[in-house]
Amino acid sequence: MGYAQIVATVLAGAITVVAVYLAVRAVMTITAVIRQGQPDPARFEDPKTRTKTMLVETVGHTRMLKWSAIGAAHWLVMVSFVILSSLVLEAYFEVVSPRLGLPIIGHWVVFGLVTEWIGILGTLGILYLVFVRQRQKPGKVKRSRFLGSTMWQAYFVEAIIIGVLIFGFLIRGFKVATGHFEYPLWATPLSHAIGSVLPAWADGATWMALIKILISMSWLITISLNPTMGVAWHRFLAFFNIYFKRSPEKPAGSGLGALKPMMSEGKPLDFEEADPEKDLFGVNQVEQFTWKGLLDFSTCTECGRCQSQCPAWNTAKPLSPKLLVLSLRDHAYAKAPYLLAGGGKDLMGEEKATEAQLAHMDVLALAEGNRPLIGGVDENGVIDPDVLWSCTTCGACVEQCPVDIEHIDHIVDMRRYQVLIESSFPSEAGVMLRNLENKGNPWGAPQNTREDWTKGLDFEVPRVGEAEFDYLFWVGCAGAFEDRAKKTTRAVATLLHEAGVNYAILGEGETCTGDPARRIGNEFIYQMLAQQNVETLNEAFGDQKVKRIVATCPHCFNTLGNEYEQLGLKVEVVHHTQLLAHLVKEGKLTPVQPIDGEVTYHDPCYLGRHNRVFDAPRELLGSAAGKDITEMPRNQERSFCCGAGGARMWMEERIGKRINVERTEEALATGAKTIAVGCPFCYTMIGDGVTGKGKQEEVEVVDVATVLLRSLKQEA
Ligand code: SF4
Ligand code: SF4
């Protein structure tokens, strides 16, 4: 061992000791922050499915690959990070002697071959990611997905990866040049090519290996000093975050479909027993999120995919799901020393720490501990209330997030506290809540007018109790009271009648499913309505083995099918487009008269993204129109919300561009004469959008069922 090797070994050892010490300390900090969260025992259930999902999503990169080229590049970088970590380890042997390699596999030609090609492809992958970041950087493109991301951290990580890869090839090159390289040319062509132009410097490999170690350890030191550096830490945390996702069996984001029930001490809150002095009613302090929430915040990579798809962000509202997560993360880490030193507020807002404890606390952490979680700029709040109320719960963020962050649950948890404890929410939504409480529907229509839509039909609509039925037709409040939606209800009833389907309605027995109350955060009203409906449905189905419901409203469809299970009702729910598509396939309905002009289709968020029903409405429209539909640029999983979800239907849209206008412009740009919808709220929003544009004479907005009805032989 020469002088160079001794110096390099000492330096490599010293920096490694420092880096490992800091990394252990950072891991302890991250763990301590996450442990501040509330219990959530359900996350440990079903380890088999969880493991499988985690492996599929990470190794298979299933979510990232939706962004094909970027996903492929990221996959290469991920694989190169894992495989080439072995070469960083090998560098510790190479500083001692260029003849040394990793024990056992270090001189194996397959190892040389794999690491060579992974190194080449990883370099191309990271260069492509740098190029994408440059091409989409803030200032260069409007509303860049990287706006608000900590850019230096991403460039730092990318530079480190490039540096490690370059110095890896230089080590090999000097080994080639000095005759210490054991792998053949066919397996390691780039290393041989580099070696052919390098001088035969005996200590070259040693110094290159030292630089590679210094670069790697400076990365470890930097990320250890910055435990909120998600762009680096997600490499480790993403595995856990995906493993612990809420519904591991779901192909899309875990936080779609049903909302997380209100929890207190790891159990769903029982409203009959609940006491706001002892139980959590939503979230008002960052430590009131579950530990999984805090893990979510820690794992965010700052990639901005969620931001790029968010309808609120894209229409200049103050909400960006990424910035929301980053604010919660930064606050959680800044507040952690205060909490860990015994500070924190109890449910009545009283300080838990003693005067003596407070006197010894870190001043910045204490200040952060006293910051309100929700509050406007003048209150120095972490999250502005306008951010919370801008969300349509469309699920685009959850769907796109590569590490399965559950944004909607966090937003609704904060809404719950605002509504249930603070009674603080957009005042116009109060009318809707009062109507739900007093009349059982958001419009406040009298219950005895629920069946008015049946008037004038030339057949009798069967009621539950009057006849046997295979499908309970859940009409929904919009379908019963709202003029445009009533057309859909009548069309569906007519089609079911024509096809000879045994169905029945609840009529005056139906009330709102509670979806708008739940999404705005009023779990109390939701529970009241939901329990009433569960009782009515149990009675209606009696001892029927197969309990099937057909619903025209995707919000009812989602609540009945996914959320009533939390109250013990298990039913099979289909959307009317699914049932009608089935009837067309069976030959029970035969479209014969194609409709005029092009047709486009707007995917409702709660039908498409939340429940993966993309094909049935398209099949129906295809058969009714006699041709393929003209898709909007944003369709299916990437569809753009109409602006009505998350109870936004009952709130004024005062900030930015109206979401329905943005979507209507996209629909109109297709040149279609018919904009088909599958949701009464989308019907209203897009319908208003078309009227607002003065295009109502040229372009018609209709439900898919109406399109089908018009194309039937009987109608022709
Ligand atoms: S659910 Fe939709 S509106 Fe809400 S933050 Fe996510 S993308 Fe934005
Ligand atoms: S998509 Fe997920 S990881 Fe990316 S910025 Fe949004 S929350 Fe963070």
Side-chain angles (χ1 to χ4, degrees):
M1 202 164 157
Y3 173 74
Q5 285 71 32
I6 293 171
V7 172
T9 305
V10 170
L11 287 176
I15 193 167
T16 304
V17 168
V18 174
V20 170
Y21 166 75
L22 292 174
V24 170
R25 212 182 58 164
V27 170
M28 285 167 67
T29 302
I30 293 171
T31 313
V33 171
I34 292 168
R35 284 170 64 95
Q36 293 297 313
Q38 302 298 310
D40 193 354
R43 306 282 182 167
F44 293 92
E45 289 165 5
D46 198 2
K48 214 165 131 195
T49 313
R50 289 183 182 282
T51 308
K52 190 173 148 220
T53 305
M54 187 262 284
L55 290 174
V56 168
E57 282 193 25
T58 51
V59 181
H61 249 47
T62 45
R63 294 169 71 78
M64 284 294 293
L65 285 171
K66 286 180 191 163
W67 293 50
S68 38
I70 297 174
H74 189 273
W75 185 84
L76 287 172
V77 173
M78 180 194 76
V79 171
S80 67
F81 177 78
V82 175
I83 305 261
L84 301 184
S85 294
S86 62
L87 289 187
V88 174
L89 192 58
E90 192 172 58
Y92 286 91
F93 294 89
E94 288 161 338
V95 288
V96 176
S97 164
R99 286 189 180 80
L100 291 177
L102 267 188
I104 305 172
I105 55 169
H107 300 285
W108 187 30
V109 69
V110 175
F111 179 68
L113 175 86
V114 170
T115 47
E116 177 91 354
W117 284 99
I118 292 292
I120 295 170
L121 295 173
T123 309
L124 295 176
I126 195 72
L127 289 174
Y128 181 69
L129 293 183
V130 173
F131 164 72
V132 169
R133 194 173 287 275
Q134 277 299 310
R135 199 181 49 187
Q136 299 182 5
K137 71 179 178 186
K140 203 160 183 181
V141 291
K142 204 174 145 209
R143 307 201 77 74
S144 160
R145 73 179 166 104
F146 296 118
L147 197 69
S149 299
T150 323
M151 295 299 267
W152 76 260
Q153 294 183 345
Y155 286 130
F156 172 75
V157 169
E158 284 159 356
I160 290 283
I161 296 172
I162 293 170
V164 166
L165 288 163
I166 289 174
F167 280 89
F169 281 111
L170 286 174
I171 296 170
R172 288 187 162 190
F174 278 111
K175 283 180 160 187
V176 171
T178 52
H180 296 312
F181 197 57
E182 56 283 84
Y183 303 121
L185 174 66
W186 64 266
T188 53
L190 184 61
S191 299
H192 278 272
I194 293 171
S196 67
V197 294
L198 289 175
W201 179 25
D203 294 331
T206 298
W207 292 120
M208 296 306 113
L210 174 65
I211 296 172
K212 182 170 169 172
I213 291 169
L214 293 178
I215 293 174
S216 304
M217 291 305 115
S218 59
W219 174 77
L220 193 55
I221 289 170
T222 307
I223 73 164
S224 300
L225 295 174
N226 293 282
T228 56
M229 194 168 165
V231 70
W233 282 103
H234 82 275
R235 281 152 191 252
F236 311 106
L237 297 176
F239 296 97
F240 297 100
N241 211 46
I242 296 169
Y243 179 89
F244 289 117
K245 69 194 270 187
R246 177 148 63 83
S247 316
E249 76 287 358
K250 287 209 172 175
S254 51
L256 291 174
L259 264 184
K260 184 167 72 79
M262 274 180 75
M263 310 274 284
S264 188
E265 298 189 356
K267 293 188 219 99
L269 192 65
D270 177 352
F271 267 84
E272 298 202 351
E273 308 275 317
D275 176 353
E277 291 187 18
K278 296 197 196 107
D279 295 301
L280 284 179
F281 274 56
V283 166
N284 187 42
Q285 300 287 332
V286 76
E287 66 275 18
Q288 291 170 354
F289 287 108
T290 66
W291 61 262
K292 174 60 172 64
L294 295 171
L295 178 59
D296 270 2
F297 310 150
S298 307
T299 309
C300 177
T301 71
E302 307 193 17
C303 68
R305 282 175 180 73
C306 55
Q307 181 169 289
S308 71
Q309 306 292 309
C310 175
W313 177 257
N314 277 292
T315 53
K317 313 278 188 289
L319 166 64
S320 145
K322 175 185 77 178
L323 299 180
L324 174 112
V325 167
L326 299 189
S327 301
L328 292 170
R329 177 197 69 190
D330 293 345
H331 173 61
Y333 279 77
K335 188 178 178 181
Y338 157 76
L339 294 173
L340 291 167
K345 307 276 190 295
D346 65 16
L347 291 175
M348 302 310 293
E350 298 297 326
E351 176 59 62
K352 290 183 201 163
T354 61
E355 288 294 325
Q357 281 173 314
L358 289 172
H360 288 95
M361 268 183 205
D362 177 89
V363 182
L364 291 177
L366 186 56
E368 196 70 25
N370 285 319
R371 260 182 98 185
L373 184 70
I374 298 145
V377 182
D378 46 337
E379 298 158 289
N380 192 25
V382 178
I383 303 293
D384 191 286
D386 279 334
V387 167
L388 285 190
W389 302 117
S390 294
C391 178
T392 68
T393 68
C394 72
C397 48
V398 179
E399 166 88 32
Q400 291 300 328
C401 181
V403 293
D404 282 336
I405 288 171
E406 297 161 2
H407 314 70
I408 298 178
D409 285 343
H410 307 320
I411 291 172
V412 173
D413 266 339
M414 289 185 278
R415 283 184 173 189
R416 284 169 171 162
Y417 187 90
Q418 291 303 296
V419 173
L420 295 173
I421 301 294
E422 301 281 346
S423 280
S424 170
F425 50 88
S427 55
E428 62 276 15
V431 179
M432 176 270 287
L433 290 173
R434 265 196 306 282
N435 286 336
L436 284 180
E437 207 168 357
N438 301 327
K439 305 271 183 165
N441 69 82
W443 282 273
Q447 187 69 355
N448 62 8
T449 58
R450 262 201 190 264
E451 297 179 26
D452 282 5
W453 63 270
T454 61
K455 288 179 186 163
L457 287 174
D458 56 8
F459 56 92
E460 197 58 38
V461 176
R463 272 75 173 166
V464 167
E466 291 173 1
E468 296 284 300
F469 62 91
D470 296 326
Y471 285 92
L472 190 148
F473 179 14
W474 185 273
V475 174
C477 301
F481 302 120
E482 204 276 328
D483 284 342
R484 280 187 263 214
K486 278 203 265 186
K487 290 186 203 159
T488 307
T489 315
R490 290 163 67 87
V492 172
T494 308
L495 289 163
L496 296 182
H497 174 76
E498 296 289 346
V501 175
N502 279 334
Y503 73 97
I505 60 166
L506 281 168
E508 291 180 26
E510 204 184 285
T511 58
C512 175
T513 56
D515 162 86
R518 192 169 219 206
R519 261 78 200 163
I520 204 172
N522 198 324
E523 187 76 2
F524 179 74
I525 293 182
Y526 164 74
Q527 291 285 338
M528 186 188 87
L529 294 166
Q531 273 163 11
Q532 188 181 334
N533 282 325
V534 168
E535 262 176 48
T536 308
L537 287 167
N538 275 330
E539 205 177 305
F541 283 114
D543 52 9
Q544 276 191 27
K545 279 211 175 69
V546 187
K547 298 171 179 170
R548 283 200 196 103
I549 296 178
V550 56
T552 52
C553 171
H555 299 266
C556 299
F557 169 77
N558 180 63
T559 308
L560 293 164
N562 294 328
E563 301 195 328
Y564 281 10
E565 208 177 331
Q566 293 166 357
L567 298 169
L569 179 78
K570 187 125 182 63
V571 282
E572 210 180 287
V573 188
V574 291
H575 188 246
H576 68 286
T577 55
Q578 292 176 295
L579 179 56
L580 295 176
H582 172 72
L583 294 171
V584 170
K585 267 194 204 142
E586 296 261 292
K588 294 192 172 148
L589 296 170
T590 312
V592 289
Q593 175 140 322
I595 56 162
D596 267 356
E598 297 298 316
V599 181
T600 191
Y601 172 66
H602 163 79
D603 288 274
C605 303
Y606 275 85
L607 185 65
R609 235 178 338 252
H610 281 274
N611 286 290
R612 325 308 292 168
V613 180
F614 298 116
D615 296 339
R618 287 179 166 76
E619 282 165 20
L620 263 189
L621 286 169
S623 53
K627 55 184 170 258
D628 284 345
I629 60 169
T630 310
E631 292 282 6
M632 285 184 249
R634 293 177 283 194
N635 61 66
Q636 304 194 46
E637 288 94 342
R638 292 215 202 167
S639 177
F640 193 79
C641 181
C642 72
R648 289 269 353 148
M649 178 86 180
W650 288 275
M651 297 182 219
E652 288 297 329
E653 198 172 334
R654 296 190 184 90
I655 310 172
K657 182 179 181 182
R658 294 184 69 88
I659 295 175
N660 67 328
V661 172
E662 168 89 6
R663 184 57 165 169
T664 303
E665 285 170 357
E666 190 174 347
L668 292 174
T670 63
K673 278 188 153 183
T674 304
I675 303 173
V677 292
C679 168
F681 296 161
C682 302
Y683 200 161
T684 302
M685 300 305 271
I686 310 274
D688 287 352
V690 170
T691 308
K693 291 270 162 196
K695 295 280 182 189
Q696 67 277 19
E697 299 300 323
E698 300 138 58
V699 178
E700 191 185 19
V701 182
V702 279
D703 189 274
V704 177
T706 306
V707 178
L708 177 65
L709 185 61
R710 286 178 189 170
S711 74
L712 286 189
K713 190 164 36 180
Q714 292 88 331
E715 288 292 297

